[in-house]
């Protein structure tokens, strides 16, 4: 079962969006091109209520990208993004979505952020993604999407904790902080993540 999970390919993470990832739009045609390689395609969607505590706008005297302690954990405060039902929360309109079998939404609890597609940041609430994948018989999962160094990164780590083999498709993902991304890749390599270019997938 060749499985692809596209993480948060949403308007607010695209250039022009409220939390734009550099080059986010460039991964869209790559993701579309590789879809034919997979048997099962899933997506995640950051899906926040307007009062979400990860938004700087919900904390007096803070600004986006400040950090604060939220319920005992360090939280980066973000610009308002991916608010439920808004255009910014929709998947990019150029992503081919016909073959997306299920979309797992995250970040609905206003009190806790949720970078991973599997669990919230406290590892308390599951989205059900791991159970879904296991029931489908998925073994190795390929990851793409935004942002490579945050939501893709944490999703990959959780997939490994759940016992899956993880592959990161380098040109189908883009980091929010490119200058720090080599360190993230080293961490992923240390836990056994395989790195591929879309070209290699299509050559299989
Ligand atoms: Zn978010």
């Amino acid at each position: 079962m060749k499985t692809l999970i596209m993480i948060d390919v949403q308007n607010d993470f695209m250039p022009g969006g409220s939390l734009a990832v550099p080059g986010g739009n460039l991964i869209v045609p790559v993701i579309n091109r590789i879809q034919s390689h997979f048997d099962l395609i899933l997506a995640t969607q950051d899906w926040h209520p307007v009062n979400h505590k990860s938004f700087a706008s919900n904390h007096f005297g803070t600004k986006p990208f400040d950090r604060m302690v939220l319920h005992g954990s360090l939280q980066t405060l973000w610009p308002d993004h991916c608010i439920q039902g808004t255009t910014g929360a929709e998947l990019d309109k150029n992503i081919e979505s016909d073959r997306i079998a299920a979309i797992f939404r995250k970040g609905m609890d206003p009190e806790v952020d949720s970078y991973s597609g599997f669990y919230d940041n406290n590892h308390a609430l599951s989205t059900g993604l791991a159970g879904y994948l296991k029931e489908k018989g998925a073994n190795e999962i390929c990851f793409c999407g935004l942002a490579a160094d945050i939501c893709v990164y944490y999703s990959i780590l959780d997939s490994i904790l759940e016992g899956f083999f993880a592959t990161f498709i380098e040109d189908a993902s883009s980091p929010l902080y490119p200058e720090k991304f080599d360190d993230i890749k080293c961490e992923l390599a240390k836990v056994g993540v395989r790195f591929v270019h879309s070209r290699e997938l299509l050559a299989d």
Side-chain angles (χ1 to χ4, degrees), residues 13 19 46 48 54-55 78 81-82 106 113-115:
F13 298 127
L19 184 43
D46 216 20
H48 297 308
S54 77
F55 297 167
W78 304 110
H81 65 278
C82 299
K106 60 192 181 68
D113 213 353
S114 197
Y115 295 154

Side-chain angles (χ1 to χ4, degrees), residues 55-80:
F55 297 167
S57 63
N58 287 319
H59 301 275
F60 183 74
T62 67
K63 58 184 187 308
F65 307 103
D66 283 352
R67 288 179 172 199
M68 67 176 288
V69 175
L70 180 64
H71 305 308
S73 301
L74 192 62
Q75 172 72 47
T76 300
L77 298 176
W78 304 110
D80 292 10

Side-chain angles (χ1 to χ4, degrees), residues 22-201:
N25 54 324
L26 302 179
I27 70 171
V28 171
V30 180
I31 294 173
N32 287 341
R33 210 155 48 228
I34 58 179
Q35 288 195 33
S36 60
H37 177 77
F38 293 96
D39 307 307
L40 175 65
I41 300 173
L42 305 174
T44 65
Q45 206 172 15
D46 216 20
W47 193 251
H48 297 308
V50 72
N51 63 340
H52 199 264
K53 294 279 177 62
S54 77
F55 297 167
S57 63
N58 287 319
H59 301 275
F60 183 74
T62 67
K63 58 184 187 308
F65 307 103
D66 283 352
R67 288 179 172 199
M68 67 176 288
V69 175
L70 180 64
H71 305 308
S73 301
L74 192 62
Q75 172 72 47
T76 300
L77 298 176
W78 304 110
D80 292 10
H81 65 278
C82 299
I83 294 172
Q84 297 164 358
T86 63
T87 306
E90 291 172 9
L91 296 186
D92 182 273
K93 67 178 190 312
N94 293 314
I95 278 283
E96 285 170 19
S97 59
D98 290 357
R99 293 194 57 223
I100 298 175
I103 295 174
F104 288 80
R105 287 175 168 169
K106 60 192 181 68
M108 284 96 90
D109 182 341
E111 299 301 323
V112 57
D113 213 353
S114 197
Y115 295 154
S116 160
F118 290 87
Y119 294 97
D120 67 28
N121 288 7
N122 294 334
H123 250 249
L125 185 74
S126 163
T127 61
L129 176 55
Y132 182 98
L133 288 164
K134 285 171 187 174
E135 189 177 325
K136 290 285 184 186
N139 179 31
E140 180 177 338
I141 303 162
C142 288
F143 287 90
C144 63
L146 301 170
D149 48 348
I150 303 175
C151 292
V152 178
Y153 168 69
Y154 284 102
S155 297
I156 289 176
L157 291 183
D158 276 346
S159 76
I160 289 167
L161 283 177
E162 289 292 334
F164 298 104
F165 294 101
T167 297
F168 173 72
I169 309 168
E170 297 203 55
D171 55 327
S173 190
S174 194
L176 184 62
Y177 300 110
E179 67 282 4
K180 296 182 191 158
F181 194 51
D182 278 349
D183 292 342
I184 298 270
K185 282 171 73 175
C186 284
E187 282 185 44
L188 291 175
K190 276 187 207 152
V191 294
V193 175
R194 187 169 73 108
F195 294 80
V196 299
H197 191 279
S198 63
R199 222 179 14 243
E200 298 165 63
L201 284 178

